[in-house]
Amino acid sequence: MQTKRRIKPTHQLLLATLTAAATQFTDCSSNRQFSSCSATRSCPAMGESGEGGTVGSAGAAAGVGADSGSAGEAGEAGEAGEAAAGSGGEAGSDLVCTDPLSACGGSCVDLKADPKNCGRCGHDCLGGECDLGKCQAVAVALSQVNLMGIVTDGTYVYWSGSDSAGKTFYVARRRVDQSDEVKMIATAETRAEGLALSSSKVFWLGDGHLRACDAPDCNNGPSDFEPTARNCFHVASIATALFWSCQTDYAKNNGSLWSVSNSGSTPVNLEPTSKNPTEFTSDGENIYWLNSTGFNSQNGLDAEGAVWRLELGTGATTKLVSGLMQEMSQIAVGGGKLYFKEAEAEAIYAIPLPNGALDPVKIADNRVGEMVADESDLYWADYYGGRILRCSHAGCATPEVIAPGQNLPNALAQDAVSIYWLGGNPGAAPVQRIAK
């Protein structure tokens, strides 16, 4: 890659997610995997000693109830709870499962093939198949053209793309469970780079404009939310405000980071002296962003690359990493760590939060399309390798491949239970989803 060439950042989409703590079972289970029950090993069903002990239906939301019906109590579990072993645990009975089956919620299931209990009890593949204990990807939408950006609120997934000539841009949506049809909600845009969601609106960056319409169907059509957003490439909705980053003159190392209320007001320049701000993310209390390196007077790369934090409550800014001589792109926060990508090195680095570190730790070498993080894992798209990968915040010597065989996977989004991505750019490609 030529270092003197300006590379537009890949547009990362931000969606804050809450990951509920999964109920942990003892005896025939562990946090990640139920042990198989042989013909000679008796596994107690849920609620063995209690009168009630009804376990709620498996899912990946919050709200874990009482554990399995303790002695003499009703012990009803919450509506969800990912590790709760299926639904309908029968009180006061023993269940004997023959290899290779395991006990889940009063039934014997094959954890290597059951799409409702894939790899562990209660792990629902959400419409995908279960193959050797791993959930497989499922297409939310097929044959979408020149895909660009993606975002989800857990009910709908929205994406943007263009016509085959790359001149007219569109924004589309579909329910994540595919229970409706694909709907084009904006069809004649001059650009649609990046997407963001508030509680009531969909936002995207057009050609010098920040555009918006009412979610989910854009019934009144799109309009300019902010008419002066030139050279801006990344937008995110955080709490009750909208944020976007712009670059004025890349060679001169200048740019800006803007904010405005989701209801509309006069935009505020949060960082008027920012050096080439590219992408940013949030943990709800802070904004974190990357400053890409620029060029010095000899037309060589300078050492202005940095990672910054802005406290939403006070407006105070702190430089967490400095002196980076790289074009910076991709950022994610989760599990007490911040991750970023150096474009030239094609590597992912991690620093601890809240205060960063002098020497970031390299965790992977991949052509990263985009990355997202929740409280347990980092996920990213290996663009040329055609894979979606996962690595625990605690570390992993070899990242786990959760979706192999993809066609140039790029933009990523997430909700509490799934990872979404786009691929096959340019050309027609699916919008895909896989259970976490």
Side-chain angles (χ1 to χ4, degrees), residues 284-322:
E285 297 180 356
N286 306 278
I287 301 290
Y288 303 90
W289 77 93
L290 302 174
N291 279 350
S292 189
T293 188
F295 296 110
N296 56 34
S297 58
Q298 288 76 42
N299 203 28
L301 291 174
D302 62 23
E304 290 289 342
V307 181
W308 285 84
R309 178 186 68 211
L310 181 146
E311 297 178 21
L312 291 174
T314 66
T317 58
T318 303
K319 188 182 290 187
L320 301 179
V321 181
S322 61

Side-chain angles (χ1 to χ4, degrees), residues 336-406:
K337 292 184 178 180
L338 180 145
Y339 301 88
F340 63 92
K341 171 196 158 186
E342 289 187 342
E344 296 296 324
E346 296 292 2
I348 300 174
Y349 292 85
I351 60 172
L353 293 176
N355 297 317
L358 293 176
D359 296 311
V361 176
K362 184 165 71 172
I363 66 165
D365 289 293
N366 287 122
R367 168 64 163 88
V368 179
E370 280 190 358
M371 56 186 178
V372 296
D374 56 24
E375 284 306 304
S376 59
D377 299 291
L378 173 72
Y379 302 84
W380 69 93
D382 178 3
Y383 186 73
Y384 288 128
R387 305 174 298 174
I388 306 299
L389 303 171
R390 172 167 57 197
C391 183
S392 167
H393 296 311
C396 58
T398 302
E400 178 188 2
V401 179
I402 63 172
Q406 302 302 306

Side-chain angles (χ1 to χ4, degrees), residues 190-227:
T190 57
R191 201 72 182 165
E193 295 195 82
L195 293 173
L197 283 171
S198 70
S199 59
S200 61
K201 290 185 180 295
V202 186
F203 302 92
W204 63 91
L205 288 162
D207 186 11
H209 308 264
L210 178 58
R211 304 277 282 169
C213 68
D214 293 335
D217 292 328
C218 215
N219 288 329
N220 296 319
S223 61
D224 278 358
F225 189 81
E226 171 54 46

Side-chain angles (χ1 to χ4, degrees), residues 139-147 159 161-162 170 172 174 182 184 422-424 427-432:
V140 177
L142 296 170
S143 301
Q144 300 301 295
V145 183
N146 292 340
L147 292 166
W159 63 93
S162 73
Y170 67 89
R174 193 179 189 187
V182 172
M184 297 289 178
L422 308 175
V431 178
Q432 297 202 79

